[in-house]
Amino acid sequence: MNAGIIGVGHYAPEKVLTNKDLEKMVDTSDEWIRTRTGIEERRIASDDMDTSDMAYEAAVSALEDADMTADDIDMILVATVTPDKPFPSVATMLQERLGARKVAAMDLSAACAGFMYGVITAKQYIETDAYKNVLVVGVEKLSKITDWEDRNTCVLFGDGAGAAVIGPVSEDKGILSFELGADGSGGPHLYQDDTIFMNGREVFKFAVRQMPESSVNVVKKIGLSEQDVDYLIPHQANIRIMEAARQRLGIPEEKMATSVKRYGNTSSASIPIALSEDVKAGKIKDNDLVVLVGFGGGLTWGAVALRWGK
Ligand code: UT7
């Protein structure tokens, strides 16, 4: 039995913060942000919308897409570095809010690679027959840990949530291979004290090496080659980093998700938001070979190669 993605959903807060808006807040320019990152605007959650509220909206949408109710869920995993509170977890808040059964629920901390860690964790429970359907959410309210006076970071991030229901699919479909990794020696390059600190250049160097490498590795693991990839969903951090992965795979521009333009970097939410949007836009079709790949603070990384469909 294989585990696959059987429903997707996402939620983005209404408030749009444009590059022009940021020009009034810090010494930056629309031109600098666009050319260095590819970001044009991002969403910012209101004060009364916390991380669990966004997780709930995305989860409801993913359950609907999977044609399921909360009763069908056997485990809840939430990838986030911006929980409402250190504890209880967002996952337990979500369980209560959804009216799910008293199933296992936990948060998972792997920064921007969190959704990849969540999906691959879910896969283990499903393929060992321990659980049938696992709800995996990537959600961040990064605006609450952003230093709005630091132009090195505040122009990059945004808020949002994406969710996927992972469940059993037929033998030739679903997650066919994965790679996960971490390198704690890179921890000082990207962390939170009160607000986010980032050594952009170091993270950039790591990411342009890791994302292409992991993308190729998961494809090679199933005995296929770069040319077989139909669609690439890289972590939406910076278009230049994403381009490095796309060019390494040698796939055309229209075969890569680029929601970074409209949402900025939403950390663990970026991959499931992009996935949900592009599935709903018809860009991903039955039988497509899709690569999801992420990297983040830790440093951490993760990738999967999956055959779309049930
Ligand atoms: O999810 C994982 C999270 N992190 C990432 O993915 C980030 C990875 N890194 C990056 O995306 C890039 O390194 C950045 C977008 C953060 C920066 O781009 P860069 O091409 O690496 O620029 P840089 O760090 O070399 O900085 C160039 C200049 C600097 O000025 P000086 O020192 O050369 O005079 C910065 O102070 O740009 C300056 N700068 C800005 N200027 C205008 C930095 N931020 C801004 C800004 N507006 N917002």
Side-chain angles (χ1 to χ4, degrees):
M1 187 209 311
N2 258 351
I5 297 177
I6 57 178
V8 288
H10 67 280
Y11 173 80
E14 267 165 44
K15 186 183 169 195
V16 176
L17 184 70
T18 65
N19 293 348
K20 286 275 173 216
D21 295 331
L22 281 160
E23 285 179 353
K24 295 176 208 136
M25 296 161 66
V26 286
D27 180 14
T28 191
S29 67
D30 174 45
E31 210 263 328
W32 191 96
I33 303 170
R34 274 176 204 257
T35 53
R36 298 292 180 119
T37 72
I39 301 166
E40 294 170 10
E41 57 187 43
R42 65 292 288 144
R43 302 295 181 93
I44 303 294
S46 58
D47 289 344
D48 59 359
M49 171 149 283
D50 213 337
T51 301
S52 62
D53 302 309
M54 291 190 281
Y56 173 75
E57 299 295 338
V60 166
S61 158
L63 285 172
E64 197 182 298
D65 187 48
D67 205 12
M68 285 183 182
T69 68
D71 271 347
D72 297 310
I73 295 301
D74 301 302
M75 184 184 211
I76 300 171
L77 299 173
V78 176
T80 187
V81 291
T82 49
D84 299 37
K85 302 178 167 67
F87 70 92
S89 64
V90 176
T92 54
M93 293 178 181
L94 186 57
Q95 181 206 50
E96 167 66 12
R97 189 84 187 270
L98 288 171
R101 288 176 290 116
K102 306 226 176 316
V103 297
M106 66 172 172
D107 287 2
L108 207 147
S109 170
C112 306
F115 183 74
M116 300 314 304
Y117 270 73
V119 166
I120 296 159
T121 303
K123 169 183 158 74
Q124 312 310 316
Y125 286 99
I126 293 161
E127 290 181 3
T128 53
D129 224 4
Y131 299 127
K132 193 167 172 216
N133 301 311
V134 181
L135 175 64
V136 181
V137 181
V139 55
E140 305 290 357
K141 188 175 179 180
L142 292 171
S143 59
K144 68 182 174 184
I145 61 163
T146 298
D147 176 351
W148 289 104
E149 291 176 1
D150 176 16
R151 70 173 184 173
N152 291 297
T153 54
C154 75
V155 302
L156 304 174
F157 300 110
D159 300 336
V165 179
I166 316 292
V169 293
S170 54
E171 205 64 56
D172 54 336
K173 299 274 178 77
I175 302 160
L176 305 175
S177 66
F178 72 89
E179 170 171 295
L180 282 179
D183 176 6
S185 73
H189 298 323
L190 180 52
Y191 60 86
Q192 182 201 349
D193 270 335
D194 288 331
T195 54
I196 301 169
F197 169 86
M198 183 175 72
N199 181 338
R201 237 170 261 191
E202 285 302 321
V203 178
F204 191 91
K205 278 196 281 182
F206 154 72
V208 291
R209 181 175 47 79
Q210 195 60 52
M211 281 227 298
E213 193 179 304
S214 296
S215 305
V216 171
N217 287 348
V218 290
V219 175
K220 293 258 156 77
K221 275 187 187 177
I222 49 172
L224 294 178
S225 71
E226 291 89 324
Q227 293 76 37
D228 296 310
V229 176
D230 295 301
Y231 207 77
L232 173 67
I233 305 194
H235 169 44
Q236 307 282 305
N238 181 322
I239 194 79
R240 290 153 57 209
I241 302 172
M242 293 156 54
E243 278 293 313
R246 183 182 72 76
Q247 282 163 13
R248 177 69 183 80
L249 289 173
I251 58 172
E253 271 179 42
E254 65 274 15
K255 297 283 182 186
M256 177 172 79
T258 53
S259 65
V260 67
K261 285 182 207 164
R262 289 172 289 112
Y263 297 125
N265 179 349
T266 57
S267 188
S268 70
S270 93
I271 293 173
I273 290 175
L275 176 67
S276 172
E277 279 197 338
D278 290 354
V279 165
K280 283 161 190 170
K283 293 184 184 171
I284 299 172
K285 294 175 210 68
D286 203 40
N287 262 327
D288 275 356
L289 183 67
V290 183
V291 170
L292 312 181
V293 58
F295 69 93
L299 301 168
T300 54
W301 60 93
V304 301
L306 66 91
R307 185 71 68 191
W308 193 255
K310 297 181 188 171

